[in-house]
Amino acid sequence: MIVKTDKDREGMRAASKVVKAALDAAAAFIRPGVTTLDIDAVVEEAIRKAGGTPSSKGFHGYPNASCISVNDVVVHGIPSLQTVKSGDIVSVDITVLLNGYQGDAARTFAVGDVAEADLRLIKAAEAAFYAGMEYVKAGNRVGDVSSAIQLYSEINGYGVVRALTGHGIGHNMHEPPEVPNFGKKHAGPVLQNGLCIAVEPMITRGDWRVQVARDGWTTRTVDGSNAAHYENTVIVGSDGPEILTL
Ligand code: MF3
Ligand code: CO
Ligand code: CO
């Protein structure tokens, strides 16, 4: 969506606020011993309490309100009776529909005592997002953002997942353009003023290759390395980004 009216801008902000509230609820709840289904229940309650709807539920048959991806699961982990334990890193990805507008964001959380290298991985995913933000400005191109994310990640020794990308967002969860986390400077579609995008680096401590499990969703690194995910919904402005899901 290209935001043109105050109504659209406020709509995107409001949906994004609900996403943030649900992420905060998950962050406060996650501890060793809880199941990923328990986390999902907390997320769904927070979304509904705020008057929103979890967009992922029923999306191409996806069963839950959140995607919860532990350790080597990069994205689209299906909540289950698996308990999280000290040392795990847990990615929570939430999309909310509120009044016809979508917000989408993800964070990776450390549970208990986590290895230094995994804590660095989590921080690097966030920093890669902000490396991309340096180029989010009307008139720049998607490839400027993509290449900045890739460069930051690879310079720091991480694999950049290619099979999944960021995306436009608005009345639908996924809209054009695709916003890859890899690419070439000065390439791709021009970022228009008011364009809403979800920017979401997915990086690994090893190789970038991933495979989807037989459930059709759970996406793991092929080499078994741990992965982190950091996503926000953003509006492109003439002077820079407005990040909505902080
Ligand atoms: N939130 C995911 C994204 O960032 C999409 C999840 S779709 C689901 O694009 F069906 F897996 F939930
Ligand atoms: Co998401
Ligand atoms: Co997304």
Side-chain angles (χ1 to χ4, degrees):
M1 146 182 285
I2 294 172
V3 158
K4 293 201 170 99
T5 63
D6 286 351
K7 179 173 178 277
D8 284 343
R9 192 172 289 274
E10 287 306 324
M12 290 302 294
R13 284 178 180 151
S16 295
K17 274 209 173 94
V18 178
V19 175
K20 178 59 164 72
L23 280 171
D24 288 347
F29 177 76
I30 292 176
R31 60 184 184 276
V34 301
T35 70
T36 55
L37 258 179
D38 294 333
I39 301 167
D40 182 68
V42 165
V43 166
E44 181 158 2
E45 197 195 309
I47 292 170
R48 296 201 187 278
K49 220 177 100 185
T53 307
S55 323
S56 64
K57 211 169 193 173
F59 182 82
H60 294 284
Y62 186 80
N64 291 86
S66 59
C67 298
I68 304 188
S69 307
V70 181
N71 295 335
D72 63 323
V73 179
V74 182
V75 287
H76 301 166
I78 300 175
S80 72
L81 295 174
Q82 175 186 3
T83 57
V84 303
K85 52 187 200 308
S86 181
D88 285 346
I89 60 170
V90 179
S91 301
V92 179
D93 187 357
I94 301 169
T95 312
V96 168
L97 178 66
L98 182 75
N99 297 328
Y101 296 92
Q102 303 273 354
D104 186 7
R107 299 286 184 270
T108 302
F109 302 111
V111 183
D113 271 329
V114 166
E116 270 303 324
D118 283 331
L119 293 175
R120 280 199 296 272
L121 170 75
I122 290 170
K123 288 204 182 104
E126 178 173 351
F129 169 86
Y130 282 103
M133 286 303 106
E134 295 290 327
Y135 292 87
V136 171
K137 192 172 149 181
N140 283 356
R141 288 177 186 269
V142 168
D144 298 327
V145 179
S146 302
S147 61
I149 292 171
Q150 179 179 16
L151 187 66
Y152 180 89
S153 304
E154 291 181 348
I155 273 179
N156 286 285
Y158 298 105
V160 176
V161 172
R162 288 153 191 255
L164 298 133
T165 67
H167 48 90
I169 184 167
H171 293 306
N172 300 292
M173 183 194 313
H174 294 152
E175 298 182 358
E178 281 192 356
V179 183
N181 298 306
F182 60 96
K184 289 200 187 345
K185 230 170 142 51
H186 309 307
V190 173
L191 295 170
Q192 293 192 58
N193 194 25
L195 177 69
C196 302
I197 50 177
V199 180
E200 46 181 314
M202 291 156 260
I203 63 171
T204 82
R205 279 177 58 191
D207 190 83
W208 54 269
R209 287 170 186 80
V210 298
Q211 63 191 353
V212 180
R214 280 212 296 271
D215 62 21
W217 289 103
T218 310
T219 302
R220 286 191 177 80
T221 57
V222 170
D223 66 5
S225 62
N226 281 355
H229 187 195
Y230 186 89
E231 173 177 34
N232 284 307
T233 298
V234 172
I235 301 178
V236 176
S238 45
D239 297 324
E242 178 183 349
I243 306 173
L244 304 182
T245 40
L246 295 178

mmCIF file of all heavy atoms in Angstrom, residues 93-95 104-106 167 173-174 198 200 229 231, ligand 2:
data_model
loop_
_atom_site.group_PDB
_atom_site.id
_atom_site.type_symbol
_atom_site.label_atom_id
_atom_site.label_comp_id
_atom_site.label_asym_id
_atom_site.label_seq_id
_atom_site.Cartn_x
_atom_site.Cartn_y
_atom_site.Cartn_z
ATOM 1 N N ASP A 93 7.071 -14.322 15.363
ATOM 2 C CA ASP A 93 6.668 -13.482 14.225
ATOM 3 C C ASP A 93 5.150 -13.358 14.242
ATOM 4 O O ASP A 93 4.441 -14.369 14.273
ATOM 5 C CB ASP A 93 7.163 -14.119 12.923
ATOM 6 C CG ASP A 93 6.939 -13.230 11.704
ATOM 7 O OD1 ASP A 93 6.348 -12.145 11.829
ATOM 8 O OD2 ASP A 93 7.366 -13.650 10.609
ATOM 9 N N ILE A 94 4.670 -12.112 14.248
ATOM 10 C CA ILE A 94 3.245 -11.851 14.443
ATOM 11 C C ILE A 94 2.730 -10.891 13.375
ATOM 12 O O ILE A 94 3.326 -9.838 13.150
ATOM 13 C CB ILE A 94 3.007 -11.226 15.842
ATOM 14 C CG1 ILE A 94 3.518 -12.161 16.943
ATOM 15 C CG2 ILE A 94 1.530 -10.899 16.036
ATOM 16 C CD1 ILE A 94 3.575 -11.516 18.327
ATOM 17 N N THR A 95 1.616 -11.243 12.756
ATOM 18 C CA THR A 95 0.935 -10.331 11.836
ATOM 19 C C THR A 95 -0.484 -10.122 12.347
ATOM 20 O O THR A 95 -1.162 -11.076 12.726
ATOM 21 C CB THR A 95 0.902 -10.901 10.406
ATOM 22 O OG1 THR A 95 2.203 -11.346 10.050
ATOM 23 C CG2 THR A 95 0.455 -9.851 9.414
ATOM 24 N N ASP A 104 3.109 -6.190 10.793
ATOM 25 C CA ASP A 104 3.889 -7.445 10.776
ATOM 26 C C ASP A 104 5.242 -7.168 11.425
ATOM 27 O O ASP A 104 5.938 -6.220 11.025
ATOM 28 C CB ASP A 104 4.053 -7.871 9.310
ATOM 29 C CG ASP A 104 4.711 -9.232 9.094
ATOM 30 O OD1 ASP A 104 4.949 -9.949 10.077
ATOM 31 O OD2 ASP A 104 4.973 -9.555 7.917
ATOM 32 N N ALA A 105 5.600 -7.967 12.425
ATOM 33 C CA ALA A 105 6.917 -7.781 13.047
ATOM 34 C C ALA A 105 7.380 -9.075 13.693
ATOM 35 O O ALA A 105 6.564 -9.941 14.046
ATOM 36 C CB ALA A 105 6.884 -6.663 14.089
ATOM 37 N N ALA A 106 8.690 -9.194 13.862
ATOM 38 C CA ALA A 106 9.281 -10.376 14.492
ATOM 39 C C ALA A 106 10.488 -9.975 15.339
ATOM 40 O O ALA A 106 11.181 -8.997 15.033
ATOM 41 C CB ALA A 106 9.718 -11.381 13.422
ATOM 42 N N HIS A 167 8.582 -7.626 2.247
ATOM 43 C CA HIS A 167 7.457 -7.471 1.317
ATOM 44 C C HIS A 167 6.726 -6.168 1.577
ATOM 45 O O HIS A 167 6.775 -5.619 2.680
ATOM 46 C CB HIS A 167 6.489 -8.647 1.523
ATOM 47 C CG HIS A 167 6.163 -8.904 2.977
ATOM 48 N ND1 HIS A 167 5.104 -8.313 3.619
ATOM 49 C CD2 HIS A 167 6.814 -9.637 3.932
ATOM 50 C CE1 HIS A 167 5.103 -8.702 4.892
ATOM 51 N NE2 HIS A 167 6.125 -9.498 5.118
ATOM 52 N N MET A 173 -1.356 -8.840 3.938
ATOM 53 C CA MET A 173 -0.089 -9.137 4.623
ATOM 54 C C MET A 173 1.077 -9.032 3.649
ATOM 55 O O MET A 173 2.116 -8.467 3.991
ATOM 56 C CB MET A 173 -0.174 -10.560 5.208
ATOM 57 C CG MET A 173 1.028 -10.981 6.014
ATOM 58 S SD MET A 173 1.130 -12.756 6.359
ATOM 59 C CE MET A 173 -0.475 -13.201 6.910
ATOM 60 N N HIS A 174 0.911 -9.585 2.483
ATOM 61 C CA HIS A 174 1.986 -9.597 1.486
ATOM 62 C C HIS A 174 1.524 -8.862 0.233
ATOM 63 O O HIS A 174 0.557 -9.276 -0.403
ATOM 64 C CB HIS A 174 2.387 -11.042 1.130
ATOM 65 C CG HIS A 174 3.009 -11.765 2.278
ATOM 66 N ND1 HIS A 174 2.932 -13.131 2.427
ATOM 67 C CD2 HIS A 174 3.723 -11.320 3.325
ATOM 68 C CE1 HIS A 174 3.575 -13.495 3.539
ATOM 69 N NE2 HIS A 174 4.058 -12.405 4.102
ATOM 70 N N ALA A 198 7.444 -4.371 4.927
ATOM 71 C CA ALA A 198 7.967 -5.128 6.065
ATOM 72 C C ALA A 198 9.396 -5.532 5.700
ATOM 73 O O ALA A 198 9.602 -6.217 4.692
ATOM 74 C CB ALA A 198 7.110 -6.348 6.339
ATOM 75 N N GLU A 200 12.730 -7.519 6.872
ATOM 76 C CA GLU A 200 12.896 -8.615 7.820
ATOM 77 C C GLU A 200 14.111 -9.490 7.552
ATOM 78 O O GLU A 200 13.995 -10.595 7.018
ATOM 79 C CB GLU A 200 11.633 -9.478 7.871
ATOM 80 C CG GLU A 200 11.017 -9.879 6.538
ATOM 81 C CD GLU A 200 9.753 -10.722 6.756
ATOM 82 O OE1 GLU A 200 9.778 -11.644 7.581
ATOM 83 O OE2 GLU A 200 8.742 -10.453 6.093
ATOM 84 N N HIS A 229 15.784 -13.618 13.421
ATOM 85 C CA HIS A 229 14.837 -12.909 12.551
ATOM 86 C C HIS A 229 14.473 -11.604 13.242
ATOM 87 O O HIS A 229 14.146 -11.605 14.426
ATOM 88 C CB HIS A 229 13.594 -13.805 12.387
ATOM 89 C CG HIS A 229 12.578 -13.316 11.399
ATOM 90 N ND1 HIS A 229 11.306 -13.829 11.380
ATOM 91 C CD2 HIS A 229 12.640 -12.386 10.401
ATOM 92 C CE1 HIS A 229 10.624 -13.237 10.402
ATOM 93 N NE2 HIS A 229 11.403 -12.366 9.799
ATOM 94 N N GLU A 231 12.119 -8.141 12.317
ATOM 95 C CA GLU A 231 11.211 -7.551 11.325
ATOM 96 C C GLU A 231 10.429 -6.392 11.904
ATOM 97 O O GLU A 231 9.966 -6.453 13.042
ATOM 98 C CB GLU A 231 10.207 -8.631 10.852
ATOM 99 C CG GLU A 231 9.113 -8.082 9.939
ATOM 100 C CD GLU A 231 8.156 -9.140 9.397
ATOM 101 O OE1 GLU A 231 7.881 -10.123 10.122
ATOM 102 O OE2 GLU A 231 7.692 -8.979 8.260
HETATM 103 CO CO CO B 2 6.340 -11.502 9.874
#
